[in-house]
Every structure is written in structure tokens, then in C-alpha cells.
């Protein structure tokens, strides 16, 4: 810990932000638990940081006596193996760079301990996979502090598998790789966020009864027990990666949407084929799925897609022009507890009428309070450096600012 | 219809009963819709007719002007293709037999029309697959009336796929067969009902919110859209048929139970992998599944298994000795609307204490009225002839008795 009167060199404090991502071809199952190597490739959309982001400040100082970390205001155990993997790998690259660099290179930070402080701008209770944004932000910020450049997704991957995809903006694939050491298991941008500006994203935050099975242990059990998962990874996903990449490149919404829904359903199918079975979808999720299919059927085209990760929240993809009506429909079939602006957070949504024909075509019984709120967002950029020093989460004493 | 004053020859009226069966290796998907040929073999347990059965009376008379059928008191359309398949096939066999028989053989019935009357001793609303018992009973009774003997499961199969398994008691496999004409797609008894007297069965009749997708259209969509179903049928089920047959032969409850649960889950996984997805399990089913796994985990052995067909009802397998405690636990975690004897129908269940340790180990929040009632039963025999003429469902005028 910092000694009284010590102060952190401003040059050695960096603050960055990183985004959440949502997979449209799902990652489920590791072939190597330590290196976090997946049994199949996956593809995701990076969500915009205006709505969902992690902010991380890393400082180094001669006066720090040990590495320390604070997450959302609470000091956590730095010895966690996945945190240690990321710290070790970044320091290893930094040493490599120092050894290759000329004598003018400043590598003071390498001999110092780090203080890390990280917060999310969304509640953990929202059930959004915060570990992807968290580890992406940690690795990106550490790399800046230690002067490391180049490919970093392989390090983020060792913090949390899906974190590697949060190292890029827009549409990102995580190529599973073939090597035993995992050196070729990396994320790559397929298209930047500017590629498909009409694409819009809604996170429907559902009320969960129970805490679901964690994804780390869940996927272990699936790999051990589900024969359908093995088939999916080997024989289904490779073709879907090609199809999805093409759908994104062509901005073919119907193809993108159908494949997104099918892959979400297949992921949950492999969870159900796990022994004992794992359920992430509840009655609210089932109703959202029914509502989306009936909405699309009513219009005779695929205008909206859903995808669900290891929890009951739905992530909805649609095009800008369909957002007002769809949101109106969600509010009709899932009447919110508090009516009004608070139900919709993020990008503003215009009011729209809801036709009787549509209500009848969907024909579900309204389910009050099934959805807590909606986060309205879109695809966004990868990790960024925050230039304003006022945004640092650590004070000049190297400890979290009181406001955090 | 019968003319006033006409009367049915008692020799030409037969009443039979047939059982319901529950698959432990599931049938889902046809390779031929008309002949009802499955994409995989399946295996079931025939439930005892003391609790669940269909009764069917068939009469023939010179005076009947057309084939007619009454189901549960209501006249139905005899032209239904599957009914016609069964009638046609039985009459074809009867003609074949007449042509091969000597001149002494009485084949009068062959030139007559039939009246068919059928009832279930359980409500259709119970969501139990009544078509299997219904078609098995129809085919068995028609065969008696027309003097047809020998293999009949291939005809029952053409009424409703799973009906072929209701043609035998005990443990029955439906061998998928390889021939295009379906001649080798037949049911066979694996073991009779006397083989495993300790095995007990509970049907937990769950409250359903909505009518689920019918199995005929559901399996069509699955065959067309689920790549996991194809893999299951080709690569998973063949091995499981061998394992299940062995488990039944050895009366190895743990092996039988685990495979039963895994196969139920995999069937529902393929429904979820269907596009649009099909959900048969609801929150009540999910809780029953959790309860069973936690119960087994508490005892460190697999004492109880669940299986679910195309609806939310659970069918539970366990051994006689565990029935009282298990039923007590069901009543604790699913407090019934009406407490008392009406909650448990069928074979009587002794009272048993429920330990605090077990309640805490299961640790679910009680869900009032989640289960409507329990049918307590066991494995039972195949179709039987009812000898008592008082049990005929048709009167001497060839029309349903008023009491039906």
C-alpha cells in the first residue's frame, strides 16, 4: 500500500474504457482450461460504450509494495489465477520489448507494482457479461502503462475467453486456432462499427428468479457430458462462421438475424443436453422468443432477432426503422413496473402506434414486470484511452478516489 | 347407421383395452410421413391399465351402412387418413387369411361395415399421449373382430407411431427398421412387466399455461431444421438403445434412470434446436428436474428419474422403497390445491416423514399448485380382451350406450 506522502507519477497513470460484446455465434466449451482455448470459433457484436462500458485506471509507482485491485469500489484478491495470467503476460511482453529496444526506452514501470481500479457503468445485477469488458479493459490499460503494443487479444483471452472479442469494435470473430500453445487463438475485426449504422441493439433486462449456473463450470459440464455440443463445435459452427461473416459483410439482416436466433437456440439446446441439464432460459425468455417469431411472421419477414447468453436477458437486434414499434410492443406485452422514461435507457426511442392487428397476431397474454428495463444501444468501438486526467479512478495517492 | 329394429350379432362385437406407454429412449422425427417410419429406434415402458387405459368396442353388422367412430362420447370423422390406414390394413390381412383358409372359415364380417366406440379412463386434458393407447386398442380390437392374428404393431404404427409400442406389455422397443415399405419397423417386447416388479411410476400432472405444439407438426419442423436431431438419430440413439436394453435386462436402476433423464433432456434439446424453437418444458418442469437431481445428489445415488414427452407433465421412475418419501417431497415443494387423498390417484402411497436435511438439501422455494395431481402406477401388460359383455360400449343397436 502507498505510504503517507507518497505520490504517483502522473506519467504512470492511465485510464481506459472497454466495451461489452454479445456473441451471435456462441462460445461454449474449452479445449484447454488454463489457456482458455475454445472448442469452436465465435463471432460477436461490440456494444457501444456510451451505454455499457468498463473504465479501468492502472497506476505504477516505486512506492507501491504489492499489486492491488479494486473492482466496483471493493478491493479484490489480486492472486486470482486469471488476473495473474494477464499481469504476467503483459509484463513478459514489456520485458521482451525492453530487451529489444534501444537505451532511450523508459522501462521504469516494469520494476514497479501496479494498482488497478475498475468500475462498470452498469449494475452487475443486470446480468450482462461484465468479465469480457473487464478483462479487455485491464489488458488494454496495462499494455499502455507498460508500453506494450500490437496483438493483445490473446492476453485478454487468458483473462476471460470472450474478453478477446471486446478488444475490437464492430463485428469481431474469435478464431479458435489449432496450436496447443494457443498462440493462434485470437480475435479479429470482421467489420468496423461504421459498417452497418442502421443496426440497432436492445438489451431486455429480465427479472431472474435464481442465480444461474456460472459459465465456467457450466461449459465444463457441457464439454464432459453433451454429445450434441461436440457435434455442434465440430460440424455445425464452422459452416455458421462462414455464413455469419458473409451476412455481416453483405449487411443481410434476415440472414444475420436467422442465424443469430438459431445459434442462440442451439447453444441453449446443448445446455439442456448437459447432465445435469442447465437452464438459462426462463418463462420470460420463452415469451420473448415467441413474441419475436410472431412479430416476424406477422410481417412476413425477419425484422427482429433475439440472442441469449448464460442468463435470462434477451439481446435484440433490429434495424433503426423498426425500433419504435418493437419497443412499443415490448411495453405492451411486458407492462413495466414504472411507466415512462426510466423503462428505456440509452439511445432515445421515438413513440409509435401499435396496431390492433399486430397485437392480435402476437396474441400473448401480457406479463407484467417480466422485463425490468431496456437498454437501447448500437454497435460501437473497441477500447479507448481516456485523455482527461480528471477521469482517473485512482487518486495521486494511488488509492481509489473517494467518489468511486 | 343402424336401421330401427336391426340388431348386432353378439359374435361380432368385441371389447378390448390397451395401455399408455412412456418412452425412455424418445421417438422424435419421421423418415416417412405416410407409413410413419421413424428416424431412430425407441424404447418405452408400458403403464398399467388399472390406472390408464383406452377401452374400445368394435361391432360389425350387415345392417351398418357405413363405418363410424365415437371417441369419448362424440362421433368423429372416420375418413381421417390414419384411421383409414388401420382399417384398410386389418381388412387386407383378413382377406388374405380368408383366401388362405379352408371353406369352413367364417369371413362374414369382412363384407360388413364397422362401428367403433372408444373411451379413455383418464381426461385428455391430463396431457397424456392418448393416441398411442387409442390406436393400439383400435387395431387390437379390429383384429379380433376380423379374425386376424400375428404381428399387429406394424399396423398400429400406421395409426400413431408410438401406438406400436402399446401393443406389448412391460418394456418394449420399436425397432426403426431399414426397409422402404416399413415392413421391418416393428415393436418387440424386451422384457415382460413381471421382470421388474420393484419399478414404480408416478405421473406428475402439471398445470399447463398454453396448449403445446402438436407432436406431428413439431417433429416435422425438427426434422427439417435441427442439425442436432439428425446427429442424435444417427449417432447417439443406436448406442443408447443397446445401453437401455442392457439396463432393463440387468434391472440396473441407476443406469436406467440416468439414461432416461439424459434422453429426455436430449429430446427437448432438439426441440429447442428446431427453428422456430419448440418449448415443452415450462418453469414447473424445470423445478421438477432440479428437485430430482438435488434429491439424488443428497443421497449420493440415482434413486429417481424424470422423463417428459411433448408436454409439461413429468413421468417419474423410482423403486418401490423410495415412493413414500419422494411423494411427500413432491407435496412439500408443490403444495396441492386440495390437500388429501385426491392429490394422489392410483396405487396407494404410504405416509412418510420428510427430514429437514432433505428439505434443505433440495432448497427450492415451494410452488403452490404447480402440480395438479399425481397418478401412481407401475409397468403393466399389453392389450387385453374384455370378456364381460356388460362392458361393451356399443348397445345391441350398434350405437354408443347412453352411459358412455
Amino acid at each position: 500500500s502507498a505510504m503517507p506522502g507518497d505520490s504517483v507519477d502522473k506519467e504512470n497513470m492511465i485510464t481506459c474504457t472497454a466495451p461489452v460484446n454479445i456473441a451471435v455465434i456462441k462460445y461454449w466449451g474449452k479445449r484447454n482450461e488454463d489457456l482458455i482455448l475454445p472448442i469452436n470459433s465465435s463471432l460477436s457484436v461490440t456494444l457501444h460504450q456510451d451505454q455499457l462500458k468498463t473504465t479501468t485506471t492502472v497506476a505504477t509507482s516505486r512506492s507501491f509494495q504489492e499489486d492491488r485491485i479494486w473492482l466496483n469500489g471493493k478491493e479484490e484478491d489480486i492472486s486470482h489465477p486469471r488476473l495473474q495470467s494477464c499481469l504476467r503476460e503483459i509484463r513478459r511482453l514489456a520485458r521482451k520489448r525492453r530487451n529489444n529496444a534501444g537505451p532511450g526506452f523508459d522501462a521504469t514501470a516494469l520494476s514497479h507494482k501496479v494498482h488497478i481500479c475498475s468500475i462498470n457503468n452498469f449494475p452487475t445485477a443486470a446480468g450482462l457479461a461484465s468479465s469480457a469488458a473487464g478483462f479487455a479493459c485491464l489488458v488494454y490499460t496495462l499494455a499502455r502503462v507498460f508500453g506494450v503494443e500490437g496483438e493483445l487479444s490473446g492476453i485478454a483471452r487468458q483473462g476471460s475467453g470472450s474478453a478477446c472479442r471486446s478488444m475490437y469494435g464492430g463485428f469481431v470473430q474469435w478464431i479458435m486456432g489449432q496450436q496447443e500453445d494457443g498462440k493462434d487463438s485470437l480475435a479479429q475485426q470482421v467489420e468496423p462499427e461504421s459498417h452497418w449504422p442502421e443496426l440497432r441493439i436492445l438489451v431486455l433486462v429480465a427479472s431472474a428468479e435464481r442465480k444461474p449456473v456460472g459459465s465456467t463450470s457450466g461449459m465444463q459440464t457441457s464439454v464432459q457430458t453433451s454429445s450434441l455440443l461436440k457435434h455442434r463445435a465440430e460440424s455445425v459452427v464452422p459452416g455458421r462462421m462462414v455464413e455469419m461473416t458473409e451476412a455481416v459483410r453483405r449487411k443481410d439482416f434476415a440472414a444475420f438475424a436467422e442465424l443469430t436466433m438459431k445459434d442462440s437456440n442451439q447453444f441453449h439446446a446443448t445446455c439442456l443436453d448437459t447432465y445435469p441439464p442447465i437452464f438459462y432460459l426462463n418463462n420470460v425468455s420463452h415469451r420473448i422468443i415467441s413474441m419475436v417469431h410472431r412479430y416476424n411472421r406477422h410481417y412476413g419477414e425477419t425484422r427482429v432477432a433475439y440472442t441469449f447468453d448464460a442468463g435470462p436477458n434477451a439481446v435484440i437486434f433490429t434495424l433503426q426503422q423498426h425500433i419504435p414499434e418493437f419497443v412499443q410492443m415490448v411495453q405492451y406485452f411486458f407492462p413495466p413496473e414504472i411507466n415512462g422514461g426510466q423503462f428505456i435507457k440509452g439511445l432515445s426511442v421515438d413513440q409509435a402506434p401499435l396496431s390492433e392487428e399486430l397485437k392480435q397476431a402476437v396474441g400473448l397474454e401480457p406479463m407484467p414486470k417480466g422485463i425490468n428495463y431496456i437498454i437501447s444501444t448500437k454497435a460501437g468501438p473497441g477500447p479507448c484511452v481516456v485523455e482527461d486526467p480528471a477521469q482517473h479512478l485512482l487518486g495521486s495517492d494511488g488509492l481509489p478516489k473517494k467518489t468511486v
Side-chain angles (χ1 to χ4, degrees), chain A:
Chain A
S1 59
M3 297 293 179
D6 273 358
S7 94
V8 177
D9 183 350
K10 281 218 174 64
E11 300 296 309
N12 280 327
M13 190 182 296
I14 305 261
T15 298
C16 301
T17 64
V20 167
N21 73 77
I22 178 80
V24 290
I25 299 293
K26 300 294 188 192
Y27 153 55
W28 194 253
K30 301 184 185 72
R31 63 181 200 275
N32 181 314
E33 291 283 336
D34 295 325
L35 292 171
I36 311 191
L37 301 178
I39 61 171
N40 60 255
S41 296
S42 53
L43 199 147
S44 59
V45 182
T46 297
L47 304 194
H48 204 290
Q49 297 180 49
D50 282 355
Q51 283 74 49
L52 299 162
K53 71 178 175 209
T54 294
T55 304
T56 301
T57 298
V58 173
T60 65
S61 168
R62 193 176 51 83
S63 67
F64 293 166
Q65 292 176 357
E66 51 186 353
D67 294 332
R68 294 176 73 180
I69 189 166
W70 291 264
L71 299 179
N72 292 311
K74 188 165 163 284
E75 182 157 16
E76 300 287 347
D77 185 0
I78 192 85
S79 73
H80 191 287
R82 292 178 166 196
L83 276 174
Q84 287 297 314
S85 293
C86 292
L87 275 165
R88 185 185 61 239
E89 289 303 304
I90 289 286
R91 283 176 166 140
R92 198 176 54 75
L93 285 188
R95 272 194 301 278
K96 199 166 151 189
R97 195 168 174 229
R98 179 194 59 193
N99 298 344
N100 296 339
F105 182 72
D106 178 17
T108 347
L110 248 177
S111 57
H112 295 165
K113 299 296 182 187
V114 296
H115 280 190
I116 302 161
C117 188
S118 189
I119 57 166
N120 299 324
N121 72 342
F122 54 93
T124 311
L128 294 153
S130 56
S131 66
F135 276 104
C137 207
L138 173 71
V139 168
Y140 191 82
T141 317
L142 283 172
R144 291 278 164 160
V145 164
F146 287 108
V148 171
E149 280 161 5
E151 214 317 297
L152 296 169
S153 75
I155 301 176
R157 190 201 74 227
Q158 294 176 63
S160 172
S162 57
C164 72
R165 297 188 313 240
S166 276
M167 296 302 279
Y168 298 96
F171 303 84
V172 183
Q173 59 177 326
W174 173 11
I175 295 166
M176 64 176 289
Q178 302 300 331
Q179 289 174 219
E180 281 202 17
D181 63 6
K183 290 275 194 298
D184 59 348
S185 188
L186 303 171
Q188 273 183 358
Q189 191 176 63
V190 172
E191 292 287 353
E193 62 275 20
S194 57
H195 169 69
W196 200 350
E198 305 80 16
L199 188 71
R200 289 284 301 271
I201 300 163
L202 301 169
V203 183
L204 309 187
V205 179
S207 45
E209 297 162 2
R210 295 181 277 172
K211 190 178 152 43
V213 173
S215 61
T216 301
S217 75
M219 63 176 82
Q220 272 177 15
T221 316
S222 292
V223 168
Q224 285 157 12
T225 63
S226 170
S227 48
L228 300 189
L229 177 61
K230 188 167 154 35
H231 176 72
R232 161 178 165 74
E234 289 172 3
S235 304
V236 180
V237 172
R240 287 190 172 176
M241 284 297 290
V242 174
E243 276 183 74
M244 186 58 92
T245 306
E246 280 307 302
V248 167
R249 292 223 164 107
R250 290 195 318 266
K251 297 192 278 185
D252 179 342
F253 184 78
F256 170 81
E258 276 161 39
L259 199 47
T260 293
M261 292 188 274
K262 286 178 180 171
D263 207 70
S264 173
N265 294 335
Q266 186 168 89
F267 153 54
H268 292 282
T270 65
C271 290
L272 187 41
D273 189 49
T274 298
Y275 187 81
I278 303 168
F279 299 100
Y280 291 122
L281 305 178
N282 62 20
N283 278 359
V284 178
S285 331
H286 290 181
R287 276 185 193 234
I288 292 170
I289 290 172
S290 293
M291 180 179 68
V292 167
H293 285 292
R294 290 171 188 201
Y295 177 85
N296 289 337
R297 192 180 55 190
H298 176 65
Y299 284 111
E301 63 176 12
T302 307
R303 292 188 175 183
V304 173
Y306 54 78
T307 186
F308 295 83
D309 275 349
N313 291 343
V315 176
I316 298 289
F317 291 97
T318 188
L319 297 175
Q320 175 96 42
Q321 72 233 54
H322 305 311
I323 284 275
E325 187 187 56
F326 184 79
V327 167
Q328 204 67 38
M329 182 177 66
V330 171
Q331 286 183 282
Y332 178 80
F333 288 110
F334 299 91
E337 190 153 22
I338 306 145
N339 233 312
Q342 273 305 96
F343 187 63
I344 303 159
K345 303 175 199 267
L347 296 177
S348 73
V349 173
D350 291 341
Q351 291 284 315
L354 197 62
S355 74
E356 283 305 316
E357 292 74 31
L358 178 57
K359 282 184 201 168
Q360 280 179 21
V362 173
L364 293 167
E365 196 165 324
M367 189 183 207
K369 302 179 202 173
I371 294 172
N372 290 339
Y373 57 91
I374 298 176
I375 302 168
S376 168
T377 185
K378 60 182 180 180
C384 315
V385 177
V386 177
E387 303 292 352
D388 175 11
Q391 303 299 313
H392 288 322
L393 302 176
L394 292 168
S396 55
D397 58 355
L399 295 174
K401 287 181 180 170
K402 294 282 177 271
T403 55
V404 175

